Amino acid sequence: MQLVNRGEGRLFLSPLVIFLLLFLGFPAIVNLVYSISTVTFETLRAPELSGYGNYLDVLSDRYFWQASWFSLRFGIITALAECLIGLFLAIFLNPLLGKRPYLMAPLMLPLMVAPAMVGLMYRLVLHEFAGPVPYYLWMWFGDSPAFLDADNAFRTLVVIETLQWTPFAFLLFHTAYSAIPSDVREAAALDGAGGWTLLTKIELPLIKPTLIIAFFIRFIDGFRVFDNIYALTGAGAGGSTTSLSIYIYQAFFKQGAIGKAVAASVVLFIASLVVLYALTALGSRRKEKT
Amino acid sequence: MIKKTTIMALAGLLAGTAMPGIANATVTVLGWPGGSEEAALRAATDVYNETAREDDKVELIFFSRDGFFDKLQADLAAGSDAFDINLIAAYSIGRYAPYMEPIDLGDDAETVFGKAVLETMQYEGRQYGVPTDLSLHFMYYRTDLLDALLGDADARAEYSKIAEEYLGKPMEPKPADEWTWDDWAATALYFTKSINRASPVRYGTVLQMKNLLFNMMVFQSLPRSYGADWRDAEGNITIDSEGYRKGLELYKTLYDAGATPKDSLSYEYAETNAAFAAGQVATALQWNAAAGELTDPEKTPAVAEVTGVVAPPAGPNGRADHIHGLGLGLNKNAKNKEGALRFLQWLATEDAALLYAENGGSPALMPDVVAKIADDRPDLVDLGNFASQYGYVMDGGTSANALSIYEVQAREFTGYWSGQQSLDEALANTEAEMRDLLNP
């Protein structure tokens, strides 16, 4: 049954369309114009069209590729670590949390801290003379690694990010894992499935959509990381911990290269679209096969 | 109904008690947050507001320190009138001048600050701000450690041996005010525990090597004392010079030898203070603003009594000390320009400057003015002396792109110090970008 005719449908949709055009379409068009213009803070309202030079600047800038590589590595490694630890905790703590659900609250605490605050906090915590971690390492072992030198900075940042965001992955997995009907487990047990078989053949396939979504969300967040890294290391020695977000921020504010910064964000947007289409195509192909 | 009445009563109470300043203020000042400058400005403003007319009362607002200049730039460029007066710095005047109004501070300002200091707030011959704080660098050092070194023949012999091994020449220890950069480096190496097991401290120095523009300001005085500049009279970029090579190599030598904490590549102002205050570092080249903290026995009980202050060491061209002024200027889009100007002119009077200094600020004052507070603020006497004798600004250091140039140097030089690129690559990359930024 058709509830409304096409005209009425358009009428109802029009506020949303206008909203999207105003708040998403207009900035997108302005950004596209900026990306092919020579523009500074003084000429924001009157950019001069200058062609594709900004895109060439971005694509020929080694720091753009360095930042891309950093973001990609950081996004994949942190998402993997967070999902693996989150999954382990969800399975391991499931019986305990079933009986004592109030224990969930302290596990979620890291999510309550703003990322910039996390950066500032770890600046203090890891400082050789003011921080508790190096203090105890010196006291017990007579030495402490330099957590933020050029060799260790990446690893330290990965650990900090993982510590903060694993609870998010854990929360999703715990919810999905708890939602598996108990009769499924009972049936599997009656059929003779052991613990490992139950986990790998029954439970994990059932929560697979949640696993994929959690990995995807955490990868995106890791890929566009900014606050905590900027507060902790700046952009890193020689730009070694510069994420793409930091690269764009620096180009925009620090260098005043507004056209170049916007061009970089457009390149990033297009790259994201390609990845999304590739994943969608991959998903569709698998669906067809099954 | 009762609920609505209660909420309105609470709102009224809040408006009437918590924000009286905002309700009355008609001049809004955006200050430099989080340090001695904020404390001094708050104290001076309180005194001003006691006698100011109702429509001249001043209200202060502060962003966070991180990214302050970026947020300020965005606000000014957008034509914001949320503040009448804003912070201005010598190295950022060129960038912000298009959005600001030149001001007249009156004839007395020169007798308080002197011509040279007033010029730190000028751009293209016009005054853009009141110079509230002057910033330069002190060499902080442990007097107890140095005295022990100078008075011990065995220690002097060890010092000479270490200098020969790391710096290629035997050297004799000297008092801190006679140091060249090599003397300082040799001292730093000698007091490094991993090099000299007898050292009572862990590190000989603490370098600020984080990829941060302000750290480049601290570093520049080393190459400058070897005659370095950003460009020559013809406008050629001269970053690839003996001075910069010497400075960059010396920092790398100290970092690689472990004379500064291994985390120094993530150190800035706060980390440097913490390291020195912990009593595990022999020397630190640090901003003058740290003097109040590092020499205060209550704030830094471990080392305050044995902390000495001298000018940065000398090079072949003598000593050099980076200077820049922080100040307050008038927003072009200010809502209350007359009231704002009255406050700025008051800040430029002797009484206000002394009040500001007594509350922790660091104004550069004329000798007869600073003499009035010399007992309470001996560091201000050093500040004036060092600024007048050794102060310098690089050619291009107040240009519109000065901040961006420091950013480029920070990225490239830290890349060299951390071993990601060679010295030649770092200098070539810096030169190429400086050419675009200084001579567009």
Side-chain angles (χ1 to χ4, degrees), chain B residues 391-410:
Chain B
Y392 73 92
V393 177
M394 291 289 191
D395 184 353
T398 57
S399 64
N401 286 324
L403 286 172
S404 301
I405 290 168
Y406 285 121
E407 292 279 353
V408 168
Q409 291 176 352

Side-chain angles (χ1 to χ4, degrees), chain A residues 195-266:
Chain A
W196 180 251
T197 308
L198 178 68
L199 176 70
T200 55
K201 304 287 186 191
I202 308 290
E203 291 173 337
L204 286 184
L206 282 172
I207 64 169
K208 190 176 164 191
T210 310
L211 289 172
I212 293 170
I213 287 170
F215 178 83
F216 195 61
I217 293 173
R218 289 314 312 144
F219 169 71
I220 290 171
D221 270 357
F223 188 77
R224 63 180 173 82
V225 66
F226 181 90
D227 318 42
N228 49 354
I229 292 186
Y230 198 71
L232 199 57
T233 67
S240 55
T241 60
T242 303
S243 66
L244 267 174
S245 301
I246 294 175
Y247 174 88
I248 292 168
Y249 164 76
Q250 286 184 321
F252 195 98
F253 283 108
K254 305 282 183 187
Q255 300 163 15
I258 294 172
K260 183 178 170 185
V262 175
S265 64
V266 172

Side-chain angles (χ1 to χ4, degrees), chain B residues 307-372:
Chain B
T307 295
V309 170
V310 290
N317 287 35
R319 296 181 197 282
D321 205 338
H322 163 101
I323 53 167
H324 68 246
L326 293 176
L328 293 168
L330 185 58
N331 181 2
K332 189 177 262 181
N333 289 301
K335 285 180 189 162
N336 182 1
K337 285 188 183 170
E338 290 76 22
L341 191 58
R342 273 192 284 277
F343 179 62
L344 290 172
Q345 287 172 336
W346 176 80
L347 271 181
T349 62
E350 180 177 313
D351 287 347
L354 289 174
L355 181 67
Y356 190 85
E358 282 163 0
N359 286 283
S362 301
L365 304 169
M366 292 294 279
D368 55 328
V369 180
V370 80
K372 294 173 183 170

Side-chain angles (χ1 to χ4, degrees), chain A residues 41 62-63 123 237 249 254, chain B residues 70 73 271 404 420 429:
Chain A
F41 276 102
R62 68 190 172 103
Y63 288 110
R123 261 177 77 179
Y249 164 76
K254 305 282 183 187
Chain B
D70 307 329
Q73 173 159 353
E271 285 83 357
S404 301
Q420 296 174 64
N429 293 337

Side-chain angles (χ1 to χ4, degrees), chain B residues 156-288:
Chain B
R156 288 204 304 272
E158 179 67 14
Y159 178 101
S160 181
K161 199 177 101 187
I162 289 171
E164 183 161 23
E165 184 180 343
Y166 286 88
L167 301 176
K169 56 187 175 187
M171 296 170 67
E172 278 290 311
K174 292 180 194 165
D177 56 1
E178 293 175 20
W179 280 348
T180 63
W181 288 103
D182 281 342
D183 292 319
W184 162 71
T187 307
L189 291 161
Y190 171 80
F191 282 115
T192 298
K193 194 104 181 165
S194 60
I195 294 170
N196 172 18
R197 291 175 63 84
S199 172
V201 291
R202 210 179 283 166
Y203 299 104
T205 192
V206 51
L207 301 175
Q208 302 180 42
M209 302 170 87
K210 187 177 182 179
N211 181 353
L212 180 73
L213 68 98
F214 300 110
N215 289 348
M216 288 302 105
M217 296 176 187
V218 179
F219 163 73
Q220 308 267 334
S221 296
L222 201 175
R224 177 69 174 194
S225 70
Y226 280 78
D229 206 341
W230 284 3
R231 61 184 171 189
D232 62 20
E234 283 78 45
N236 302 308
I237 305 301
T238 54
I239 199 82
D240 190 354
S241 61
E242 185 206 342
Y244 271 100
R245 285 181 178 272
K246 167 71 183 180
L248 289 164
E249 283 173 340
L250 199 57
Y251 260 49
K252 185 155 175 64
T253 300
L254 293 176
Y255 178 73
D256 289 347
T260 183
K262 286 173 281 185
D263 270 0
S264 295
L265 284 162
S266 65
Y267 277 20
E268 52 180 296
Y269 180 88
E271 285 83 357
T272 303
N273 269 9
F276 193 86
Q280 286 296 326
V281 173
T283 70
L285 185 62
Q286 172 67 301
W287 294 92
N288 62 293

